[in-house]
Amino acid sequence: MPSSFQAPKRGDKAKETTHSQSLISNTAQENATVRKLIDHKGRSVFSITPDDTLSTAVKVLADKHIGALLVTDADGALVGILSERDIVRKLAATPGQTLPQTVAENMTKNVQTCSLDDQLVDVLKTMTDGRFRHIPVLEDGKLCGMLTIGDVVNYRLLELEYEAMQLKQMIVG
Ligand code: AMP
């Protein structure tokens, strides 16, 4: 038996696993919430009213470099969402007659939302399952932001890079 060898004592193993597991569970626990992303991205939302025309919607989408608009009523309540996909579909269905149509006629009324304390992984699942790329964020029932699937995926990639760096540092010492 080499002189440096020391028979393991009770509790040694527990200490070792606690160290590595704490890193893994810390990162897993840190599965970010919507709040973290919204704090980083900001709370601005671009909205339009149901009576606006698609012509107006197209201008706003182009000016703001965005892919969807929230539709709100006179009280600011969320009543729908209109994405570039809705407009493209209608352009194909009603060529030459699309732009004068109203937002109300073309929006999706049953809007799925998320809240600040939702986990990003859950939001990502909602978006992939529902096949849409935009999700409004509500706080106490009021609009407080908008996330795109790109925002969520990019954030998750950053997190994964950070986790990989932490693991590398742990190995290198
Ligand atoms: P998108 O992929 O976001 O451009 O949207 C694809 C389709 O889903 C369009 O018909 C949108 O109106 C609709 N949509 C977009 N976001 C949502 C949402 N959060 N909830 C329900 N429908 C949505």
Side-chain angles (χ1 to χ4, degrees):
M1 189 188 292
S3 60
S4 59
F5 177 81
Q6 296 228 311
K9 294 188 286 297
R10 218 149 67 98
D12 280 358
K13 184 113 192 158
K15 260 185 233 148
E16 271 167 38
T17 49
T18 306
H19 179 63
S20 57
Q21 280 172 352
S22 68
L23 179 76
I24 289 160
S25 48
N26 280 348
T27 50
Q29 264 166 24
E30 268 177 2
N31 264 342
T33 58
V34 169
R35 186 185 303 276
K36 247 181 164 177
L37 223 172
I38 286 293
D39 284 349
H40 175 75
K41 182 180 178 181
R43 293 186 168 224
S44 58
V45 287
F46 297 107
S47 59
I48 199 165
T49 72
D51 297 333
D52 281 317
T53 61
L54 293 191
S55 178
T56 305
V58 166
K59 281 191 200 110
V60 181
L61 290 171
D63 281 355
K64 306 293 180 197
H65 303 282
I66 53 173
L69 286 164
L70 295 176
V71 188
T72 51
D73 67 12
D75 301 325
L78 182 66
V79 293
I81 188 164
L82 179 82
S83 98
E84 55 198 2
R85 207 165 268 189
D86 299 313
I87 300 170
V88 169
R89 274 197 212 117
K90 198 44 91 72
L91 282 168
T94 58
Q97 301 158 31
T98 306
L99 294 181
Q101 294 176 28
T102 64
V103 168
E105 289 170 79
N106 290 281
M107 67 189 188
T108 300
K109 290 186 183 131
N110 187 12
V111 186
Q112 294 205 44
T113 60
C114 63
S115 65
L116 287 171
D117 294 323
D118 286 344
Q119 300 267 319
L120 286 180
V121 281
D122 295 333
V123 172
L124 199 52
K125 186 168 184 327
T126 304
M127 292 169 104
T128 39
D129 288 353
R131 294 173 183 268
F132 50 77
R133 298 162 297 172
H134 299 86
I135 194 156
V137 187
L138 300 185
E139 183 179 38
D140 301 327
K142 292 213 170 113
L143 279 172
C144 73
M146 170 87 127
L147 291 185
T148 69
I149 203 158
D151 296 330
V152 182
V153 169
N154 284 336
Y155 194 90
R156 186 67 193 126
L157 284 177
L158 281 177
E159 260 192 340
L160 288 171
E161 268 174 33
Y162 180 70
E163 286 171 25
M165 195 187 72
Q166 279 183 312
L167 287 170
K168 265 191 211 151
Q169 275 174 355
M170 213 177 82
I171 293 164
V172 176

mmCIF file of all heavy atoms in Angstrom, residues 81 83 85-86 89 108 110-112 131-136, ligand 1:
data_model
loop_
_atom_site.group_PDB
_atom_site.id
_atom_site.type_symbol
_atom_site.label_atom_id
_atom_site.label_comp_id
_atom_site.label_asym_id
_atom_site.label_seq_id
_atom_site.Cartn_x
_atom_site.Cartn_y
_atom_site.Cartn_z
ATOM 1 N N ILE A 81 -52.632 39.244 -31.337
ATOM 2 C CA ILE A 81 -51.250 39.398 -31.812
ATOM 3 C C ILE A 81 -51.292 39.256 -33.333
ATOM 4 O O ILE A 81 -52.061 38.459 -33.875
ATOM 5 C CB ILE A 81 -50.299 38.382 -31.138
ATOM 6 C CG1 ILE A 81 -48.850 38.675 -31.499
ATOM 7 C CG2 ILE A 81 -50.644 36.948 -31.486
ATOM 8 C CD1 ILE A 81 -47.834 37.977 -30.572
ATOM 9 N N SER A 83 -48.666 38.792 -36.526
ATOM 10 C CA SER A 83 -47.263 38.611 -36.903
ATOM 11 C C SER A 83 -47.124 38.718 -38.415
ATOM 12 O O SER A 83 -48.101 38.638 -39.160
ATOM 13 C CB SER A 83 -46.733 37.270 -36.386
ATOM 14 O OG SER A 83 -46.754 36.298 -37.380
ATOM 15 N N ARG A 85 -46.198 36.674 -40.338
ATOM 16 C CA ARG A 85 -46.696 35.444 -40.969
ATOM 17 C C ARG A 85 -48.186 35.579 -41.328
ATOM 18 O O ARG A 85 -48.623 35.111 -42.375
ATOM 19 C CB ARG A 85 -46.482 34.276 -40.015
ATOM 20 C CG ARG A 85 -46.325 32.979 -40.723
ATOM 21 C CD ARG A 85 -45.754 31.918 -39.825
ATOM 22 N NE ARG A 85 -44.315 31.837 -39.900
ATOM 23 C CZ ARG A 85 -43.599 30.873 -39.336
ATOM 24 N NH1 ARG A 85 -44.195 29.934 -38.634
ATOM 25 N NH2 ARG A 85 -42.297 30.851 -39.449
ATOM 26 N N ASP A 86 -48.958 36.231 -40.441
ATOM 27 C CA ASP A 86 -50.388 36.449 -40.721
ATOM 28 C C ASP A 86 -50.547 37.301 -41.979
ATOM 29 O O ASP A 86 -51.442 37.056 -42.800
ATOM 30 C CB ASP A 86 -51.055 37.171 -39.536
ATOM 31 C CG ASP A 86 -50.970 36.355 -38.255
ATOM 32 O OD1 ASP A 86 -51.277 35.157 -38.312
ATOM 33 O OD2 ASP A 86 -50.585 36.919 -37.209
ATOM 34 N N ARG A 89 -49.529 35.320 -45.203
ATOM 35 C CA ARG A 89 -50.605 34.374 -45.578
ATOM 36 C C ARG A 89 -51.735 35.112 -46.281
ATOM 37 O O ARG A 89 -52.267 34.653 -47.289
ATOM 38 C CB ARG A 89 -51.169 33.705 -44.316
ATOM 39 C CG ARG A 89 -50.380 32.494 -43.898
ATOM 40 C CD ARG A 89 -51.205 31.631 -42.922
ATOM 41 N NE ARG A 89 -50.304 30.993 -41.991
ATOM 42 C CZ ARG A 89 -50.285 31.178 -40.686
ATOM 43 N NH1 ARG A 89 -51.139 32.005 -40.106
ATOM 44 N NH2 ARG A 89 -49.421 30.553 -39.923
ATOM 45 N N THR A 108 -54.398 36.951 -34.387
ATOM 46 C CA THR A 108 -54.733 35.762 -33.592
ATOM 47 C C THR A 108 -55.282 36.266 -32.255
ATOM 48 O O THR A 108 -54.631 37.076 -31.575
ATOM 49 C CB THR A 108 -53.464 34.909 -33.344
ATOM 50 O OG1 THR A 108 -52.943 34.510 -34.603
ATOM 51 C CG2 THR A 108 -53.765 33.692 -32.501
ATOM 52 N N ASN A 110 -56.511 34.334 -29.607
ATOM 53 C CA ASN A 110 -56.190 33.546 -28.411
ATOM 54 C C ASN A 110 -54.674 33.588 -28.162
ATOM 55 O O ASN A 110 -53.937 32.702 -28.579
ATOM 56 C CB ASN A 110 -56.689 32.112 -28.643
ATOM 57 C CG ASN A 110 -56.559 31.280 -27.408
ATOM 58 O OD1 ASN A 110 -56.305 31.806 -26.319
ATOM 59 N ND2 ASN A 110 -56.698 29.976 -27.560
ATOM 60 N N VAL A 111 -54.230 34.633 -27.482
ATOM 61 C CA VAL A 111 -52.793 34.855 -27.332
ATOM 62 C C VAL A 111 -52.258 34.105 -26.108
ATOM 63 O O VAL A 111 -52.810 34.236 -25.010
ATOM 64 C CB VAL A 111 -52.473 36.362 -27.149
ATOM 65 C CG1 VAL A 111 -50.973 36.587 -27.139
ATOM 66 C CG2 VAL A 111 -53.139 37.193 -28.216
ATOM 67 N N GLN A 112 -51.199 33.361 -26.312
ATOM 68 C CA GLN A 112 -50.545 32.700 -25.170
ATOM 69 C C GLN A 112 -49.496 33.643 -24.609
ATOM 70 O O GLN A 112 -48.723 34.244 -25.364
ATOM 71 C CB GLN A 112 -49.903 31.405 -25.624
ATOM 72 C CG GLN A 112 -50.955 30.414 -26.066
ATOM 73 C CD GLN A 112 -50.465 28.995 -25.945
ATOM 74 O OE1 GLN A 112 -49.851 28.610 -24.954
ATOM 75 N NE2 GLN A 112 -50.735 28.219 -26.956
ATOM 76 N N ARG A 131 -45.847 26.470 -32.087
ATOM 77 C CA ARG A 131 -45.325 26.901 -33.394
ATOM 78 C C ARG A 131 -45.461 28.397 -33.609
ATOM 79 O O ARG A 131 -45.920 28.860 -34.655
ATOM 80 C CB ARG A 131 -46.007 26.156 -34.542
ATOM 81 C CG ARG A 131 -45.677 24.692 -34.547
ATOM 82 C CD ARG A 131 -46.505 23.968 -35.583
ATOM 83 N NE ARG A 131 -46.232 22.545 -35.534
ATOM 84 C CZ ARG A 131 -45.318 21.942 -36.267
ATOM 85 N NH1 ARG A 131 -44.571 22.610 -37.098
ATOM 86 N NH2 ARG A 131 -45.139 20.638 -36.155
ATOM 87 N N PHE A 132 -45.131 29.182 -32.595
ATOM 88 C CA PHE A 132 -45.054 30.631 -32.792
ATOM 89 C C PHE A 132 -43.753 31.137 -32.178
ATOM 90 O O PHE A 132 -43.151 30.460 -31.335
ATOM 91 C CB PHE A 132 -46.286 31.352 -32.224
ATOM 92 C CG PHE A 132 -46.652 30.977 -30.823
ATOM 93 C CD1 PHE A 132 -45.941 31.470 -29.750
ATOM 94 C CD2 PHE A 132 -47.715 30.114 -30.575
ATOM 95 C CE1 PHE A 132 -46.280 31.134 -28.447
ATOM 96 C CE2 PHE A 132 -48.062 29.761 -29.280
ATOM 97 C CZ PHE A 132 -47.337 30.282 -28.222
ATOM 98 N N ARG A 133 -43.317 32.305 -32.646
ATOM 99 C CA ARG A 133 -41.989 32.802 -32.278
ATOM 100 C C ARG A 133 -42.013 34.030 -31.388
ATOM 101 O O ARG A 133 -40.976 34.629 -31.130
ATOM 102 C CB ARG A 133 -41.203 33.120 -33.563
ATOM 103 C CG ARG A 133 -40.972 31.898 -34.448
ATOM 104 C CD ARG A 133 -40.594 32.294 -35.854
ATOM 105 N NE ARG A 133 -41.678 33.033 -36.494
ATOM 106 C CZ ARG A 133 -41.577 33.648 -37.673
ATOM 107 N NH1 ARG A 133 -40.442 33.635 -38.332
ATOM 108 N NH2 ARG A 133 -42.622 34.287 -38.183
ATOM 109 N N HIS A 134 -43.238 34.414 -30.966
ATOM 110 C CA HIS A 134 -43.354 35.606 -30.120
ATOM 111 C C HIS A 134 -44.222 35.288 -28.918
ATOM 112 O O HIS A 134 -45.204 34.553 -29.051
ATOM 113 C CB HIS A 134 -43.998 36.756 -30.904
ATOM 114 C CG HIS A 134 -43.204 37.153 -32.103
ATOM 115 N ND1 HIS A 134 -43.350 36.530 -33.324
ATOM 116 C CD2 HIS A 134 -42.226 38.081 -32.254
ATOM 117 C CE1 HIS A 134 -42.506 37.067 -34.197
ATOM 118 N NE2 HIS A 134 -41.812 38.009 -33.575
ATOM 119 N N ILE A 135 -43.850 35.859 -27.773
ATOM 120 C CA ILE A 135 -44.708 35.649 -26.591
ATOM 121 C C ILE A 135 -44.688 36.906 -25.711
ATOM 122 O O ILE A 135 -43.625 37.373 -25.301
ATOM 123 C CB ILE A 135 -44.315 34.359 -25.813
ATOM 124 C CG1 ILE A 135 -45.394 33.971 -24.812
ATOM 125 C CG2 ILE A 135 -42.964 34.480 -25.135
ATOM 126 C CD1 ILE A 135 -45.399 32.500 -24.431
ATOM 127 N N PRO A 136 -45.874 37.467 -25.471
ATOM 128 C CA PRO A 136 -45.949 38.642 -24.601
ATOM 129 C C PRO A 136 -45.746 38.234 -23.139
ATOM 130 O O PRO A 136 -46.110 37.128 -22.736
ATOM 131 C CB PRO A 136 -47.366 39.164 -24.801
ATOM 132 C CG PRO A 136 -47.980 38.357 -25.885
ATOM 133 C CD PRO A 136 -47.183 37.097 -26.027
HETATM 134 P P1 AMP B 1 -44.938 33.867 -35.363
HETATM 135 O O1 AMP B 1 -44.184 32.588 -35.506
HETATM 136 O O2 AMP B 1 -44.784 34.458 -33.996
HETATM 137 O O3 AMP B 1 -44.674 34.837 -36.470
HETATM 138 O O4 AMP B 1 -46.498 33.518 -35.433
HETATM 139 C C1 AMP B 1 -47.042 32.427 -36.135
HETATM 140 C C2 AMP B 1 -48.543 32.426 -35.913
HETATM 141 O O5 AMP B 1 -48.815 32.295 -34.510
HETATM 142 C C3 AMP B 1 -49.275 33.710 -36.331
HETATM 143 O O6 AMP B 1 -50.566 33.346 -36.787
HETATM 144 C C4 AMP B 1 -49.391 34.529 -35.069
HETATM 145 O O7 AMP B 1 -50.514 35.392 -35.043
HETATM 146 C C5 AMP B 1 -49.538 33.436 -34.019
HETATM 147 N N1 AMP B 1 -48.899 33.790 -32.721
HETATM 148 C C6 AMP B 1 -47.726 34.438 -32.552
HETATM 149 N N2 AMP B 1 -47.451 34.567 -31.253
HETATM 150 C C7 AMP B 1 -48.459 33.986 -30.581
HETATM 151 C C8 AMP B 1 -48.765 33.804 -29.192
HETATM 152 N N3 AMP B 1 -47.949 34.225 -28.227
HETATM 153 N N4 AMP B 1 -49.920 33.175 -28.878
HETATM 154 C C9 AMP B 1 -50.743 32.724 -29.841
HETATM 155 N N5 AMP B 1 -50.518 32.870 -31.161
HETATM 156 C C10 AMP B 1 -49.383 33.487 -31.532
#
